[in-house]
Short mmCIF file of all heavy atoms in Angstrom, two decimals:
data_model
loop_
_atom_site.label_atom_id
_atom_site.label_comp_id
_atom_site.label_asym_id
_atom_site.label_seq_id
_atom_site.Cartn_x
_atom_site.Cartn_y
_atom_site.Cartn_z
N ASP B 343 75.35 18.46 21.78
CA ASP B 343 76.60 17.97 21.23
C ASP B 343 76.57 16.45 21.32
O ASP B 343 76.38 15.89 22.40
CB ASP B 343 77.78 18.52 22.03
CG ASP B 343 79.13 18.14 21.44
OD1 ASP B 343 79.20 17.10 20.73
OD2 ASP B 343 80.11 18.85 21.69
N GLY B 569 46.82 29.16 15.87
CA GLY B 569 46.71 28.64 17.22
C GLY B 569 46.04 27.29 17.33
O GLY B 569 45.56 26.94 18.40
N LEU B 576 48.06 17.28 4.84
CA LEU B 576 49.29 16.54 5.09
C LEU B 576 50.27 16.70 3.94
O LEU B 576 49.88 16.68 2.77
CB LEU B 576 48.99 15.06 5.29
CG LEU B 576 48.09 14.69 6.48
CD1 LEU B 576 47.84 13.19 6.50
CD2 LEU B 576 48.71 15.15 7.79
#
Side-chain angles (χ1 to χ4, degrees):
D343 184 335
L576 298 178

